[in-house]
């Protein structure tokens, strides 16, 4: 089947970026250590694509909501487990509902649509969905507006639904208690030990399989419409997957992102820190006369010695390579599938591409930002070009850069060496792939800018702004 969706230029926009980071920790593993991979026989530090994608997505959303950039004023999405609470807040603030009824009704409506919620017995998760749901930011307001409009139907349904849930839970609890008592009367053994597990599972199944009143068709349709991607540009860009509601559309994102890794071997330091206790220091600077009432009172002075808290934190330094690609055709298809006309999808796609490039260049994960100022980093080089397929240039750094002096057999500092390698790789590939065109490079480093002036046949035109990276 031939698509009627148009796409300017080539289908794929490939972006490649080199950035040097000093004493930072943008991501970490479950033990608080920097993430790493082994590539080319050497350990490299890694910044995961998930961390980068979220930083870029939030950067895009915040600019759009603030009326800044190419997507100013356009719809964006929110990824959260709190849709029932968001809907309840709208019912309370905009429609005058009591909070308890609002929360109970919102949860019932969304749960009956197909989303699973946390254990009702645990207040911290009772009103949170079990999975994160990426939906348009106004979804809660839309659901609340429908509930208010159809309150005459939804209110009695919600009362019946919650009553049926409570009855099913009580019945399951009694059944579990009876089976547990029967199991205790049996002689101890393997069968008796397993009986408690089976009865617990059966009780859980009974509660889950309880016959609950179906959500009115009009309300279910309204919830599905509210949760559908609609005009949320970032959902079209980054995609979403929702398995729990079969008839709610999943979106195959138009952006592909790679993990960033250092172009040289990993360099890590475990930094010892000592945090001062202000009250201690104030007592030491401004001692007050003390009445000695005990010969051992002098030992209390030891409590004012030393730091208030000490510890270690891992920090990494290095020049990272990262890559992303935008599928322009997929972006337009996603927007058309969300209900835009061809003209609307084209206009939105051009704006989304410009904002995606800006986010790729400017956004940065915010972990440890206050103690490392990592979000102030700017790329050493950004390379952008078009093609009929994605191109990943990670192979240019399979051999880790040796930062020893050039005269000593090394390549010198990693930043300039990585630029030379990347552009040499691009020129080589471009000469063998006729679909690659419109190469452009951007740098924020004056030393790299001077280096670009000395390089020949890079296959790319030097530009001075992120806006010029995309055609």
């Amino acid at each position: 089947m031939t698509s009627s969706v148009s796409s300017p230029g080539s289908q794929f926009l490939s972006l490649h970026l080199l950035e040097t980071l000093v004493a930072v920790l943008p991501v970490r593993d479950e033990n608080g250590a920097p993430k790493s991979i082994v590539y080319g026989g050497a350990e490299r530090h890694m910044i995961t694509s998930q961390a980068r994608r979220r930083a870029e997505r939030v950067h895009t959303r915040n600019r759009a909501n603030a009326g800044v950039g190419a997507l100013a004023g356009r719809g964006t999405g929110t990824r959260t487990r709190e849709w029932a609470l968001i809907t309840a807040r709208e019912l309370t603030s905009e429609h005058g509902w009591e909070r308890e009824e609002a929360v109970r009704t919102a949860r019932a409506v969304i749960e009956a649509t197909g989303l699973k919620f946390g254990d009702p017995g645990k207040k911290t998760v009772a009103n949170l969905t079990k999975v994160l749901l990426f939906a348009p930011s106004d979804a809660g307001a839309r659901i609340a507006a429908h509930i208010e409009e159809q309150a005459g139907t939804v209110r009695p349904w919600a009362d019946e639904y919650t009553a049926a849930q409570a009855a099913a839970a009580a019945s399951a609890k009694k059944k579990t208690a009876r089976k547990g008592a029967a199991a205790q009367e049996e002689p101890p053994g393997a069968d008796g030990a397993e009986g408690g597990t089976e009865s617990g599972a059966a009780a859980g199944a009974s509660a889950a399989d309880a016959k609950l009143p179906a959500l009115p068709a009009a309300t279910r349709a309204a919830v599905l419409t509210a949760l559908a991607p609609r005009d949320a540009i970032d959902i079209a860009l980054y995609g979403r997957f929702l398995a729990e509601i079969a008839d709610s559309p999943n979106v195959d994102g138009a952006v592909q992102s790679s993990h960033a890794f250092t172009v040289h071997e990993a360099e890590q330091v475990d930094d010892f820190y000592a945090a001062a206790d202000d009250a201690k220091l104030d007592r030491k600077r401004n001692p007050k006369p003390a009445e000695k009432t005990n010969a051992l009172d002098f030992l209390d002075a030891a409590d004012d010695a030393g730091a208030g808290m000490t510890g270690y934190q891992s920090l990494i330094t290095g020049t990272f390579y990262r890559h992303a690609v935008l599928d322009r055709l997929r972006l337009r298809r996603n927007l058309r599938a969300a209900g835009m006309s061809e003209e609307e999808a084209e206009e939105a796609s051009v704006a989304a591409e410009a904002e995606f490039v800006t986010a790729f260049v400017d956004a940065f994960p915010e972990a440890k930002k206050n103690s490392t100022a990592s979000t102030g980093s700017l790329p050493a080089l950004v390379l952008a070009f078009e093609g009929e397929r994605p191109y990943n240039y990670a192979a240019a750094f399979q051999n880790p850069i040796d930062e020893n002096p050039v005269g000593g057999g090394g390549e010198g500092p990693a930043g300039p060496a990585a630029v030379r390698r990347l552009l040499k790789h691009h020129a080589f590939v471009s000469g063998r792939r006729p679909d690659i065109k419109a190469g452009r490079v951007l740098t924020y480093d004056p030393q790299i800018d001077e280096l670009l002036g000395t390089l020949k046949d890079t296959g790319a035109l030097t530009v001075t702004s992120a806006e010029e990276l995309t055609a």
Side-chain angles (χ1 to χ4, degrees):
M1 179 177 177
T2 303
S3 171
S4 62
V5 180
S6 64
S7 176
S10 301
Q11 180 176 350
F12 295 97
L13 174 68
S14 289
L15 298 174
H16 307 261
L17 186 146
L18 296 168
E19 58 190 344
T20 297
L21 308 175
V22 180
V24 300
L25 188 60
V27 293
R28 52 194 135 166
D29 63 18
E30 67 277 13
N31 298 315
K35 293 189 175 183
S36 64
I37 58 171
V38 175
Y39 179 50
E43 184 180 13
R44 319 290 187 95
H45 287 308
M46 177 177 69
I47 302 176
T48 56
S49 61
Q50 298 95 315
R52 300 288 337 190
R53 287 169 68 89
R54 185 181 187 279
E56 292 164 11
R57 178 173 60 80
V58 172
H59 182 273
T60 298
R61 183 189 68 196
N62 291 346
R63 280 168 53 90
N65 292 344
V68 177
L71 293 178
R74 289 187 178 270
T76 56
T78 298
R79 188 179 66 182
T80 183
R81 297 171 60 196
E82 298 185 6
W83 286 114
L85 297 175
I86 293 172
T87 301
R89 282 198 292 270
E90 288 288 333
L91 285 170
T92 302
S93 62
E94 299 298 324
H95 306 291
W97 286 47
E98 293 295 326
R99 185 180 185 282
E100 184 177 346
E101 183 189 17
V103 172
R104 184 176 67 250
T105 303
R107 173 189 160 129
V109 166
I110 295 174
E111 184 177 49
T113 304
L115 286 170
K116 295 180 177 65
F117 278 75
D119 184 350
K122 298 179 179 179
K123 291 184 178 181
T124 55
V125 298
N127 299 309
L128 304 181
T129 56
K130 288 190 173 182
V131 298
L132 287 164
L133 174 56
F134 193 15
S137 297
D138 65 349
R142 284 174 172 256
I143 296 171
H146 173 84
I147 291 174
E148 170 64 15
E149 183 181 338
Q150 300 294 322
T153 301
V154 175
R155 267 192 164 116
W157 170 85
D159 291 340
E160 183 183 356
Y161 183 90
T162 53
Q165 268 190 328
S171 175
K173 188 174 182 179
K174 288 180 181 178
K175 187 182 295 185
T176 301
R178 287 197 301 269
K179 288 188 176 182
Q184 288 180 359
E185 294 174 1
E186 294 178 1
D191 291 342
E194 292 176 1
T197 302
E198 290 176 358
S199 63
S206 298
D209 297 338
K211 186 66 176 176
L212 300 174
L215 184 66
T219 299
R220 188 171 193 278
V223 174
L224 290 177
T225 300
L227 297 178
R230 291 183 284 114
D231 61 347
I233 304 294
D234 46 359
I235 296 180
L237 279 169
Y238 296 99
R240 79 169 190 185
F241 179 73
L242 180 60
E244 293 190 344
I245 306 178
D247 45 354
S248 184
N250 294 320
V251 180
D252 186 6
V255 173
Q256 305 168 26
S257 306
S258 73
H259 299 304
F261 63 89
T262 49
V263 298
H264 47 75
E265 290 192 47
E267 298 175 10
Q268 173 182 335
V269 60
D270 290 325
D271 176 47
F272 173 80
Y273 65 87
D277 185 317
D278 291 347
K280 278 187 178 184
L281 294 177
D282 288 345
R283 284 196 299 273
K284 293 178 72 173
R285 291 193 182 101
N286 305 294
K288 295 181 179 179
E291 295 181 3
K292 298 294 183 180
T293 59
N294 188 300
L296 298 179
D297 280 350
F298 74 92
L299 293 176
D300 292 340
D303 292 337
D304 287 340
M309 183 177 68
T310 61
Y312 286 90
Q313 63 176 350
S314 296
L315 299 173
I316 61 175
T317 293
T319 296
F320 288 78
Y321 165 77
R322 59 184 170 94
H323 162 65
V325 60
L326 174 66
D327 184 340
R328 291 163 163 167
L329 183 57
R330 169 58 58 187
L331 176 59
R332 285 158 175 77
R333 285 175 173 167
N334 287 348
L335 293 173
R336 288 296 307 278
M340 289 189 181
S341 67
E342 186 169 348
E343 292 74 21
E344 289 172 335
E346 182 63 29
E347 180 183 355
S349 294
V350 172
E353 178 173 325
E355 196 61 27
F356 162 67
V357 172
T358 297
F360 180 80
V361 173
D362 289 347
F364 195 85
E366 295 191 349
K368 294 277 187 182
K369 69 173 184 177
N370 288 348
S371 58
T372 65
S374 56
T375 55
S377 304
L378 285 171
L381 187 85
V382 186
L383 168 65
F385 59 86
E386 301 174 13
E388 294 305 323
R389 52 152 288 174
Y391 288 94
N392 188 322
Y393 286 170
F397 308 105
Q398 183 170 5
N399 292 324
I401 288 176
D402 181 354
E403 292 193 89
N404 285 313
V406 176
E411 297 179 65
V419 169
R420 284 191 290 266
R421 276 208 201 179
L422 180 63
L423 294 180
K424 179 180 178 181
H425 191 91
H426 174 62
F428 183 85
V429 174
S430 297
R432 288 157 176 77
R433 301 293 303 199
D435 62 300
I436 293 180
K437 59 183 180 181
R440 296 167 294 277
V441 291
L442 168 68
T443 182
Y444 294 98
D445 186 329
Q447 294 183 12
I448 300 300
D449 188 55
E450 291 178 8
L451 174 62
L452 293 177
T454 67
L455 299 178
K456 298 180 180 180
D457 300 325
T458 60
L461 173 69
T462 301
V463 297
T464 58
S465 68
E467 291 77 14
E468 297 175 84
L469 289 171
T470 180

